[in-house]
Structures are given as C-alpha cells and as structure tokens.
C-alpha cells in the first residue's frame, strides 16, 4: 500500500534559469508533502507548467501546451486517477485571470511569490479552482525549503542559487518588473547557508541568479548591506566550491568592488553576461537603459583591465520601435567592437502593459527578421573565431558527466563551452587542465594535460 501514498509531480519549465531554480524549489517543497518528481506525465497526480512571459511566443506556448495536457488527461477516461493541472511562473503572474478564463481545465494558477505556499495551494485545488498571484510582504525564500541533499546530489556538480529577484529598472520593452515585482535581495546568511549545503552535497560550481544579479545588496548579520563583489569573496571561502558565476548583470550595476573581485578571485569565472540590447544611443534612451554605448565600451575596457582573459556575452533586441537601419548598424558595430564570445539576439516582441507597446513606429516584421539574420551571422562568426582561438590553449575544465561515446567525458571550460575529452569516467567531479585540440559548432575537444601544474 505504501506506493499509493507517494504522489507524483511532473514539472515542465520554460524561460530563464530562475525558472529552473524555482522548479527545483517547488519539487523540494512538494517532496516534504509526499510528492516525488517524475519525468513521465502519464504517472503524474500533479502537472505544473512553470511559464515565461518575456516574448509573445513564449506566453502563447502555454495555451497550446495546456490544450495538449487537457486532451491527454481526458483521453485517460473516467477510471484514471485524478490529475491536477497547475500554471506557475511569469505568465501565471501576468495573466492569471485570463488563464482561468481561457483554460477551464486548469485547477491552479500561482505566481512566483507564492511558491512557498504550494503544498497548501495544491491541497485546496483538489476541491476548487485556485488562483494566487499576490505579492505578499513575507520573505518567500525564508519559507522555501533548502535544496534537499539527495536531490542536489542527483542534480549534479553545478547548481543555480537565486540571490536576488525582481527588477526596478523598467526597461521599456520588458515585463520582468511586473511579473517578478520589485528588486529584493536575500540576506547574506541565507545565501551562504544554501551555498554551503550545495558544496556539502558535492556541487563544485554555483551560478548566482538574479534578474539584476549585480544589483545585489543583501543584509549581513549586522544589518549592513553587502554587494555582489563582497558576496563573491565570502562564497570563495567555502571549501569544495571551486567556481562561481553570476547572471544576469546590468551595466549600470557593475561597480568597482565587483570588477575588483574579478581581478582578485580565481574562483570567479572570467566569463560575463552583460547585455546592452542595442548599440544606438537613441534606442538605448528609448529603451530606458540609462547608459550610452560609449559608457558600455568604457566599462568593458575597465573590466578587461582587471581581468585580461575576460570573455563576454550579451543580449540584443532588434526592431525596437523607431529603430532605423542606422541604429541597427550601430548595434552591429558594438558587437564587433566588443567581440562577444557568444550572444543571444531576439526580435522585439510587443508586451502588453509595457511602455514600448504604446510607442509609434513599430518596426515591420520582415525588417526585424532581416536584421536578426544579419546580427546572428555576425555573432556566429565571432563565436566561431572565439572557439577557434581556444585551440592550443590549456584551460581548467570541470569534468561533469560521461560523454556521448564510451571512454569519453564531457565538461565545461571557464567560458562555459562544452568540452569533449577522451578520458575515464572516474575523473568526473574533478577540475583538470585540458589542452584544447579542436572545435565543433558549439563545443571544444581536448586532452587532459598530465604532469603539469593546473593552468588558470
Ligand atoms: N535582466 C536581464 C534581462 C532578462 S530578459 C537584463 O537586464 O539584461 C532576457 C532578455 O530577453 C533581455 O536581455 C532581452 O534581450 C530579451 N527581451 C526582454 N524583453 C523582450 C521583448 N519584449 N522582446 C524581445 N526580447 C526581449
Ligand atoms: Fe527587464 Fe531591464 Fe529589468 Fe533586465 S533590467 S529585467 S531587461 S527591466
Ligand atoms: Fe521569462 Fe519570467 Fe524568466 S518572463 S525570462 S521566466 S523572469
């Protein structure tokens, strides 16, 4: 009989890394209430979609997926066990009422600020449809369970750790300040405790997360505000934790302390995601980014002075309202000047409720498509060049998992490139010097250097 007591939850995650982190926290919260995770929807008593609202396509996907899940549930016939359907994440927060209206099969809708109440909400949803999209005053992180040791061990050698959530920047294209609310930093002690627990469970690399992670200003035990640079120093002291990354940063919050941390901490990886979105000052102003292209380039120079091997990645939006061919060329220009190791680029998507949606001069779809193609060609060429430049160099690689073929392992370089190595699986978990011998489209291959000190 004991088997029937364990219920199963199936979670499908869309969007950014913070949603990945949140899905794991939901799994952890539910496991304390008798739910085990499953990767088979057919086994699930509870199906959760953790959704993303950042672009129209991402948001619309939720409704088609909900239709599929409803059909799946209905086809199982009346004798099948009950299966609750819930929607979490940023679409739930932005249009919870609409989901309830458009998708009657949904039992439960709840926003990112309600995850610590999930078990209670699920219990209620068994009897009636439930919606919870409030922004409560309480600290949700203080109420969320710590990552479970067994679950962390299963999740592997790298982990995400949310240190900051929400955003006060209000870029004119972006929904995040509305879906995630005002910027909040977790207290230092909470972050350190979670990082220690991760390291104890075998995690070697942690990626600190926040929509504006470098705006982090958590309070320490004396009530003093601590910035991200200082936090990185504290994390670097944790034994077993060997690599620290953070994402996503805003150029305006890249302060001197954080730049100095890149100079002083070997554990802080020399790879920085620092989006600029556009290379045109006119468009940057309309986007409410509150800095110029020249200021961004000066900042990059300062960062590279502190850490000469720093590689950069970024995000770009093409076809923001009013963007001319000249503005777009300024974007191509900054891409070349910075020489990104990789970058994400998107067509501007009009988001309801944001200032951008009200602007004149919306750019026609074919123009956006054409610009995106040109930008991506430029970015791909730079990425290929960056990868090619790695050949012959020796990097420390975190050996993470078995490779595709027997006798192979796969790891990550400091620049997050996947590295394929002919080596034994017993090396998994170690950070070893690897000489890069070849490149493929999105990865490197190499051989472990023996008898040499580890290169950094
Ligand atoms: N906090 C991060 C961005 C989070 S959203 C930052 O400030 O950089 C991730 C990326 O999605 C953004 O950097 C932007 O490039 C893209 N994005 C956000 N809103 C968008 C929109 N309305 N249309 C197209 N892309 C968008
Ligand atoms: Fe969105 Fe801008 Fe905030 Fe990033 S900084 S989350 S792009 S509003
Ligand atoms: Fe998407 Fe919300 Fe992340 S809108 S990008 S899931 S913060």
């Amino acid at each position: 009989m004991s088997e029937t007591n364990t219920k199963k939850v199936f979670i499908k995650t869309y969007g950014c890394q913070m949603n990945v982190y949140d899905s794991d926290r939901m799994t952890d919260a539910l496991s304390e209430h008798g739910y085990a995770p499953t990767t088979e929807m057919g086994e699930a008593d509870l199906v959760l979609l953790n959704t993303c609202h950042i672009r129209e396509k991402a948001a619309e996907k939720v409704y088609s997926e909900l239709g599929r899940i409803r059909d799946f549930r209905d086809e199982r016939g009346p004798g099948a066990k009950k299966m609750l359907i819930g929607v979490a994440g940023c679409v739930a927060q932005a249009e919870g009422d609409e989901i309830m209206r458009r998708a009657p099969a949904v039992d439960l809708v709840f926003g990112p600020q309600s995850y610590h109440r999930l078990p209670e909400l699920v219990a209620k949803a068994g009897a009636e449809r439930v919606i919870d999209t409030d922004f409560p005053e309480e600290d949700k992180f203080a109420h969320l369970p710590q990552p479970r040791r067994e679950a962390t061990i299963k999740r592997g050698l790298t982990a995400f750790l949310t240190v900051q959530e929400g955003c006060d920047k209000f870029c004119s294209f972006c929904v995040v300040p509305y879906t995630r609310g005002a910027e909040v930093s977790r207290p230092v002690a909470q972050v350190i405790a979670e990082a220690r627990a991760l390291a104890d469970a075998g995690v070697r690399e942690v990626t600190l997360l926040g929509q504006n992670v470098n705006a982090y200003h958590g309070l320490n035990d004396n009530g003093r505000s601590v910035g991200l640079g200082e936090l990185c120093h504290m994390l670097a002291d944790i034994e077993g934790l060997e690599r620290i990354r953070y994402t996503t940063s805003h150029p305006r919050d890249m302060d001197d302390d954080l730049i100095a941390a890149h100079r002083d901490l070997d554990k802080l990886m020399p790879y920085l995601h620092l989006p600029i979105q556009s290379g045109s000052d006119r468009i940057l102003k309309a986007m409410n980014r509150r800095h110029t292209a020249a200021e961004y380039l000066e900042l990059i120079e300062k960062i590279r002075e502190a850490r000469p091997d720093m590689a950069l990645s970024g995000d770009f939006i093409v076809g923001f309202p009013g963007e001319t061919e000249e503005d777009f060329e300024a974007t191509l220009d900054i891409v070349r000047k910075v020489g990104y190791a990789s970058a994400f680029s998107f067509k501007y998507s009009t988001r309801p409720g944001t200032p951008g949606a009200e602007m004149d001069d919306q750019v026609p779809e074919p123009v956006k498509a054409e610009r995106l193609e040109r930008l991506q060609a430029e970015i791909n060429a730079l990425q290929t060049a960056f990868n090619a430049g790695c050949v012959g160099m020796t990097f420390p690689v975190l050996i993470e998992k078995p490779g595709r073929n027997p006798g192979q392992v796969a790891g990550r370089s400091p620049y997050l490139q996947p590295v394929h190595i002919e080596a034994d699986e017993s090396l998994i978990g170690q950070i070893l010097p690897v000489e890069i011998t070849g490149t493929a489209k999105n990865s490197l291959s190499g051989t472990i250097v023996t008898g040499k000190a580890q290169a950094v």
Side-chain angles (χ1 to χ4, degrees), residues 308-366:
D309 60 344
M310 181 70 86
L312 284 133
S313 81
D315 290 340
F316 293 91
I317 294 177
V318 299
F320 185 79
E323 186 188 73
T324 62
E325 173 62 24
E326 201 185 339
D327 293 319
F328 173 66
E329 278 169 18
T331 297
L332 290 177
D333 193 47
I334 202 140
V335 166
R336 285 184 212 114
K337 278 192 181 131
V338 174
Y340 291 94
S342 80
F344 299 99
S345 47
F346 312 98
K347 287 189 275 188
Y348 171 69
S349 171
T350 310
R351 307 309 291 129
T354 60
E358 309 296 318
M359 289 180 186
D360 298 331
D361 294 333
Q362 298 283 333
V363 174
E365 199 52 36

Side-chain angles (χ1 to χ4, degrees), residues 33 42 73 134 160 330 368 446:
H33 289 76
R73 178 165 80 174
D134 294 342
F160 294 132
K368 289 185 198 170

Side-chain angles (χ1 to χ4, degrees), residues 106-331:
V106 168
D107 302 289
L108 170 63
V109 169
F110 56 108
Q113 302 311 316
S114 309
Y115 295 164
H116 56 298
R117 286 203 296 270
L118 181 55
E120 177 195 322
L121 296 173
V122 171
K124 223 162 113 190
E128 56 178 324
R129 299 182 84 202
V130 174
I131 176 162
D132 187 336
T133 51
D134 294 342
F135 280 100
E137 282 299 307
E138 72 216 21
D139 171 10
K140 77 164 180 185
F141 291 108
H143 294 87
L144 271 171
Q146 287 275 312
R148 284 168 52 246
R149 189 176 154 79
E150 319 85 84
T152 303
I153 291 170
K154 267 198 208 136
R155 286 171 194 148
L157 297 160
T158 62
F160 294 132
L161 201 178
T162 296
V163 300
Q164 177 279 334
E165 184 172 12
C167 182
D168 296 338
K169 295 271 191 308
F170 290 93
C171 300
S172 58
F173 51 82
C174 184
V175 293
V176 170
Y178 311 96
T179 64
R180 293 279 173 167
E183 195 189 292
V184 177
S185 295
R186 294 177 71 184
V188 173
Q190 236 185 58
V191 173
I192 299 296
E194 189 164 324
R196 283 217 180 95
L198 291 171
D200 277 351
V203 168
R204 310 296 307 275
E205 173 179 308
V206 72
T207 303
L208 309 177
L209 298 181
Q211 270 90 26
N212 251 289
V213 71
N214 58 343
Y216 178 81
H217 58 276
L219 297 181
N220 69 7
D221 291 342
N222 303 324
R224 182 174 62 81
S225 164
V226 166
L228 191 64
E230 191 178 343
L231 185 72
C232 286
H233 273 275
M234 296 164 104
L235 291 165
D237 287 337
I238 296 178
E239 207 179 313
L241 209 57
E242 299 298 339
R243 290 179 155 189
I244 303 166
R245 305 178 184 276
Y246 59 89
T247 197
T248 294
S249 301
H250 192 288
R252 281 181 63 99
D253 294 317
M254 208 63 219
D255 64 22
D256 289 346
D257 259 11
L258 184 55
I259 296 174
H262 277 286
R263 182 195 59 211
D264 300 334
L265 295 174
D266 285 342
K267 288 188 180 181
L268 196 50
M269 290 294 99
Y271 186 58
L272 180 62
H273 186 65
L274 194 63
I276 181 170
Q277 315 293 353
S278 166
S280 153
D281 287 343
R282 220 172 56 79
I283 297 297
L284 285 171
K285 189 157 198 287
M287 286 177 163
N288 194 32
R289 294 290 291 186
R290 298 188 297 135
H291 63 80
T292 62
E295 282 163 350
Y296 180 82
L297 288 172
E298 274 164 34
L299 176 62
I300 301 276
E301 207 171 302
K302 211 161 138 188
I303 295 167
R304 282 184 168 149
E305 252 166 50
R307 184 81 207 216
D309 60 344
M310 181 70 86
L312 284 133
S313 81
D315 290 340
F316 293 91
I317 294 177
V318 299
F320 185 79
E323 186 188 73
T324 62
E325 173 62 24
E326 201 185 339
D327 293 319
F328 173 66
E329 278 169 18
T331 297

